[in-house]
């Protein structure tokens, strides 16, 4: 291990340079870009009312103008967003962000007519145009933009629905979030937010966890009927919407939004449900580690791994570069650019946004990574993860602005893949069994939270939406029963589900604000793991196909992109591959727990 200086431990000097976004002109460059964008928008606006009559060459020319418009606005917006992210407390950064948003909205409003006129074009004419090679650079984008067509109503009907949603669905959703955000939990006389109380479930002390869980249950009790009423109303509202818009079932509209085929979503859910033994085995092991006969629901996220070592920035960089290099030299040299050319902002600073992200910006520039580096093992994996996003964006840049970004369901492909490769190397390099157990425990709990828990929540949504349609309004007790049942399916008898837990569905915002959304977490994570599994099975032959997948960005549907690496997303066996990776980690954790003396052999 290299000796590390303080600056290396905190990555103090690792700051990004956002000036290339504005050609080195600083803040004044922002308005220069937006002035240019304004001029392009004015030229585009001259085509208002004429989209139906354009031939393929004229449409391609118009799309190139829209691409340059998106590039100009995207550069200005990225510059303002990234400046703001590293120092949110500077009022000048906030003001710049607001300024860009207002100007960008005004500019984009001038070209809105295009989306409407393009959506209104008859199918045969649109297909004829899209067959032209000059439109290849935006073909999938234009096709996807028309995917809601079969579900649109007439213009006056759409207008009424949009206007009435303000006092309908949107108002109910807001009421729900106002109700839940004012929930206060009484912990020994201290009034804390729901979020803070839930975070105590990670405590290593069982008494603390139990007390926190009981206090949360007590805090959820008042207003339960009101929140159930809001939920019922929104379930009915969605049923009406889906009927009017001719969606076959409750999840179809979300699948369409995600560009995920109904078959692939069913295959994912079936595959995960068939492996509920994985979380059950983990919770059985965890009970032994904690010295309990059986976990209760409030024990599930209890901390079992306090071991943590410290990494210097340079050591982490070499480890991650080696991990990418072990897979592909091309990826390694691309990854080098992030470190060598100031595309990363690493240190923790006052006023900086928490967490980590990758900003794609625009394909004419390059992606940026924001981290909050503290030198922990977890941070090394986060670096590998965000770098994966960055490499995906970088490799897909030739797709241009319409096709660089993938749909949500494929967005984690490169990040989770890179993280998994790095995880394997980190694990190989860790000989201390306690440290190995800590590493594995954290990974498995992450997989369970993302893959299994979200799938169980999707099963709950499936039951409540279906029952609201087939039977009618659900009582508080009925919600509780279905919540209990769908959790029990996942947890088996390895976790005791307390009576109090029956009401814990009643604060989850996704069920209310974005029905059907939760499976996307499981989909994205498991897709990436399953693609990684295909690499494990096929070795070096797989690499060129994988790089081709990344280069393809979002130029095709997820199912078509899967075919590039020879996988079929509608086949449950594909998803089994990712689940096998989790199972391997579980087996390694079982061994490490014995070696570390955390459980008897
Ligand atoms: Zn990610």
């Amino acid at each position: 291990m290299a000796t590390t200086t303080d600056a290396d431990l905190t990555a103090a000097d690792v700051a990004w340079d956002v000036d290339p976004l504005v050609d080195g002109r600083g803040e004044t460059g922002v308005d220069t870009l937006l002035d240019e964008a304004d001029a392009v928008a004015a030229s585009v606006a001259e085509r208002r009312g004429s989209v139906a009559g354009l031939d393929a060459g004229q449409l391609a020319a118009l799309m190139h103008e829209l691409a340059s418009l998106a590039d100009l606005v995207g550069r200005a917006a990225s510059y303002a967003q990234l400046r703001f992210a590293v120092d949110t407390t500077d009022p000048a950064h906030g003001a710049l962000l607001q300024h860009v948003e207002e100007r960008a909205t005004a500019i984009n409003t001038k070209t809105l007519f295009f989306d409407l006129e393009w959506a209104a074009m008859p199918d045969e004419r649109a297909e004829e145009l899209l067959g032209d090679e000059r439109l290849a650079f935006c073909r999938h984008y234009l096709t996807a933009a028309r995917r809601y067509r079969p579900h649109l109503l007439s213009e006056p009907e759409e207008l009424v629905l949009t206007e009435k949603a303000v006092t309908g669905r949107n108002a109910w959703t807001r009421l729900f979030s106002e109700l839940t955000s004012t929930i206060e939990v009484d912990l020994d006389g201290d009034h804390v937010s729901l979020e803070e109380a839930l975070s105590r479930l990670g405590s290593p002390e069982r008494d603390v966890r139990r007390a926190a869980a009981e206090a949360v249950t007590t805090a959820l009790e008042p207003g339960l009927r009101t929140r159930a009423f809001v939920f019922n109303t929104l379930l009915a509202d969605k049923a009406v919407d889906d009927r009017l818009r001719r969606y076959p079932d409750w999840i179809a509209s979300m699948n369409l939004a995600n560009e995920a085929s109904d078959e692939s979503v069913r295959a994912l859910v079936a595959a995960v449900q068939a492996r509920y033994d994985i979380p059950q085995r983990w919770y059985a092991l965890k009970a032994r580690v904690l010295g309990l006969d059986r976990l209760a629901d409030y024990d599930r996220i209890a901390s079992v791994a306090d071991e943590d070592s410290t990494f210097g920035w340079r050591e982490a960089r070499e480890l991650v570069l080696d991990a990418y290099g072990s897979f592909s030299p091309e990826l390694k040299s691309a990854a080098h650019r992030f470190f060598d050319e100031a595309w990363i902002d690493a240190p923790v600073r006052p006023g900086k946004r928490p967490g980590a992200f990758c900003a794609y910006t625009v394909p004419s520039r390059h992606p940026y990574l924001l981290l909050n580096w503290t030198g922990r093992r977890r941070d090394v994996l986060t670096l590998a993860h965000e770098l994966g996003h960055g490499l995906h964006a970088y490799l897909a840049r030739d797709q241009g602005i319409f096709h660089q970004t993938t749909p949500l369901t494929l967005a984690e492909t490169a990040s989770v893949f890179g993280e998994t490769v790095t995880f394997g190397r980190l694990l190989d390099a860790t000989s201390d069994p306690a440290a190995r157990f800590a590493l594995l425990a954290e990974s498995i709990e992450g997989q369970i939270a993302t893959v299994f828990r979200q799938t169980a929540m999707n099963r709950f949504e499936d039951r409540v939406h279906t029952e609201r349609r087939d039977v009618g309004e659900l009582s508080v007790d009925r919600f509780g029963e279905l919540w209990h049942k769908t959790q029990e399916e996942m947890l088996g008898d390895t976790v005791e589900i307390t009576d109090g837990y029956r009401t814990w569905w009643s604060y989850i915002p996704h069920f209310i604000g974005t029905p059907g959304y939760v499976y996307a977490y499981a989909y994205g994570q498991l897709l990436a793991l399953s693609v990684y599994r295909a690499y494990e099975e096929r070795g070096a032959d797989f690499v060129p196909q994988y790089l081709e997948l990344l280069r393809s960005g979002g130029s095709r549907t997820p199912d078509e992109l899967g075919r590039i690496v020879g996988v079929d997303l509608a086949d449950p066996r594909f998803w089994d591959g990712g689940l096998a990776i989790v199972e391997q980690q579980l087996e390694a954790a079982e061994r490490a727990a014995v070696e570390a003396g955390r459980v008897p052999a």
Side-chain angles (χ1 to χ4, degrees):
M1 195 177 285
T3 47
T4 46
T5 63
D6 281 354
D8 187 44
L9 278 179
T10 57
D13 306 329
V14 185
W16 61 29
D17 174 14
V18 291
D19 263 358
L21 289 165
V22 289
D23 301 322
R25 289 171 298 188
E27 249 179 66
T28 52
V30 167
D31 275 309
T32 314
L33 289 170
L34 292 171
D35 290 343
E36 280 178 60
D38 233 346
V40 178
S43 146
V44 168
E46 284 165 20
R47 259 62 62 82
R48 183 192 295 276
S50 73
V51 175
L54 298 179
D55 65 25
Q58 292 165 327
L59 181 58
L62 177 58
M63 292 308 292
H64 280 296
E65 282 186 70
L66 285 170
S68 82
L69 181 62
D71 177 73
L72 292 163
V73 173
R75 284 165 57 195
S78 296
Y79 180 81
Q81 284 157 4
L82 296 181
R83 287 274 301 260
F84 182 71
V86 288
D87 186 3
T88 59
T89 53
D90 184 340
H93 291 167
L96 180 68
L97 187 61
Q98 186 63 25
H99 173 71
V100 172
E101 273 173 17
E102 285 170 14
R103 278 202 71 183
T105 305
I107 290 166
N108 289 333
T109 309
K110 293 180 189 165
T111 62
L112 269 184
F113 74 92
F114 175 77
D115 296 340
L116 300 172
E117 292 185 34
W118 170 247
M121 188 172 289
D123 285 336
E124 299 110 76
R125 178 73 191 129
E127 265 168 50
E128 204 180 306
L129 287 166
L130 289 174
D132 193 289
E133 269 317 296
R134 285 170 291 181
L135 284 160
F137 74 102
C138 57
R139 184 179 291 139
H140 180 70
Y141 171 84
L142 287 175
T143 307
R146 294 169 61 84
R147 69 192 188 277
Y148 295 107
R149 244 171 89 80
H151 305 287
L152 291 179
L153 306 175
S154 70
E155 211 180 314
E157 287 169 330
E158 288 290 346
L159 189 72
V160 171
L161 286 181
T162 307
E163 291 215 31
K164 295 301 282 182
V166 176
T167 47
R169 183 174 58 237
N170 302 357
W172 289 109
T173 306
R174 184 175 139 199
L175 175 63
F176 184 87
S177 77
E178 287 191 7
L179 290 171
T180 49
S181 61
T182 55
I183 291 175
E184 277 192 345
V185 184
D186 183 352
L187 280 175
D188 309 324
D190 257 0
H191 290 275
V192 304
S193 68
L194 193 53
E195 196 171 322
E196 189 177 338
L198 291 169
S199 74
R200 304 245 178 132
L201 299 176
S203 165
E205 312 279 334
R206 192 172 208 210
D207 289 344
V208 173
R209 299 194 297 269
R210 188 194 293 117
E214 284 168 2
V216 166
T217 299
T218 305
L220 290 176
E221 195 58 42
L224 200 47
R225 280 191 61 184
T226 310
R227 297 199 302 283
F229 180 79
V230 173
F231 199 2
N232 267 304
T233 304
L234 287 164
L235 291 171
D237 181 78
K238 177 140 184 28
V240 172
D241 252 26
D242 285 346
R243 173 170 53 77
L244 294 174
R245 295 186 183 283
R246 300 172 293 273
Y247 285 109
D249 55 47
W250 76 276
I251 194 74
S253 62
M254 183 50 81
N255 294 348
L256 191 67
N258 288 336
E259 294 189 64
S261 66
D262 295 344
E263 294 76 17
S264 71
V265 176
R266 276 197 292 271
L268 159 80
V269 169
V272 175
Q273 276 185 297
R275 292 311 312 271
Y276 276 168
D277 61 299
I278 292 174
Q280 291 170 20
R281 243 173 93 183
W282 168 251
Y283 289 130
L285 174 66
K286 185 161 184 170
R288 296 174 70 207
V289 168
L290 290 171
L292 302 169
D293 289 337
R294 179 159 84 124
L295 296 189
D297 51 74
Y298 53 77
D299 293 319
R300 281 175 298 161
I301 62 162
S303 165
V304 287
D306 42 17
E307 187 284 330
D308 213 351
S309 54
T310 314
F311 281 79
W313 175 254
R314 271 176 308 161
E315 186 187 1
R317 182 185 65 189
E318 293 317 310
L319 199 135
V320 171
L321 284 171
D322 274 354
Y324 277 98
S326 74
F327 175 73
S328 151
E330 184 187 341
L331 278 187
K332 183 178 178 174
S333 63
H336 252 294
R337 299 196 64 180
F338 285 78
F339 295 98
D340 300 344
E341 298 176 38
W343 298 0
I344 306 179
D345 196 88
V348 178
R349 285 189 220 96
K352 183 171 166 178
R353 241 198 65 164
F357 66 77
C358 165
Y360 266 45
T361 76
V362 290
S364 70
R365 294 303 183 270
H366 57 77
Y368 287 91
L369 311 183
L370 178 137
L371 306 171
N372 276 281
W373 179 260
T374 58
R376 286 168 311 146
R377 206 181 284 283
R378 178 68 249 165
D379 292 339
V380 180
L381 294 172
T382 302
L383 168 62
H385 182 102
E386 298 307 332
L387 189 57
H389 281 302
L391 289 166
H392 202 169
Y394 178 77
L395 289 183
R397 67 195 184 285
D398 289 341
Q399 293 294 339
I401 207 148
F402 293 119
H403 289 164
Q404 184 189 30
T405 314
T406 62
L408 178 73
T409 42
L410 269 172
E412 298 300 331
T413 312
S415 57
V416 171
F417 194 103
E419 187 182 341
T420 308
V421 176
T422 307
F423 178 82
R425 294 177 76 84
L426 205 51
L427 193 63
D428 287 345
T430 309
S431 50
D432 171 36
R436 287 175 64 82
F437 180 71
L439 199 54
L440 287 158
E442 192 177 328
S443 176
I444 292 164
E445 300 216 311
Q447 313 283 15
I448 289 177
T450 312
V451 175
F452 292 98
R453 189 170 145 76
Q454 305 299 333
T455 300
M457 296 214 285
N458 165 273
R459 293 296 82 200
F460 170 69
E461 284 193 287
D462 184 69
R463 300 291 291 270
V464 299
H465 279 278
T466 309
E467 192 157 315
R468 179 64 189 85
R469 289 166 195 221
D470 296 348
V471 182
E473 205 160 283
L474 288 83
S475 64
V476 167
D477 283 345
R478 186 60 183 153
F479 279 121
E481 266 170 44
L482 293 174
W483 177 249
H484 184 276
K485 229 188 179 76
T486 48
Q487 290 290 314
E488 196 178 36
E489 281 165 12
M490 168 180 61
L491 301 169
D493 55 14
T494 54
V495 176
E496 177 201 353
I497 304 174
T498 58
D499 272 346
Y501 193 65
R502 285 177 176 257
T503 58
W504 285 39
W505 54 270
S506 72
Y507 68 84
I508 297 176
H510 292 85
F511 295 156
I512 302 298
T514 41
Y517 184 80
V518 291
Y519 82 76
Y521 294 110
Y523 196 113
Q525 176 81 9
L526 201 54
L527 186 142
L529 288 178
S530 301
V531 168
Y532 181 79
R533 179 65 171 182
Y535 162 57
E536 278 194 341
E537 283 169 356
R538 306 216 301 261
D541 291 349
F542 176 81
V543 176
Q545 292 173 13
Y546 178 70
L547 294 180
E548 183 55 32
L549 169 68
L550 300 189
R551 275 190 209 99
S552 301
S555 59
R556 288 170 245 180
T557 66
D559 292 75
E560 287 164 346
L561 289 166
R563 266 174 239 135
I564 298 176
V565 288
V567 302
D568 177 5
L569 305 188
D571 183 347
R573 283 172 302 178
F574 162 69
W575 303 96
D576 288 343
L579 292 160
I581 302 274
V582 184
E583 188 174 30
Q584 281 173 2
Q585 292 185 356
L586 175 59
E587 285 163 359
E590 286 169 342
R591 287 192 299 273
V594 174
E595 285 160 19
R598 303 293 299 263
V599 297

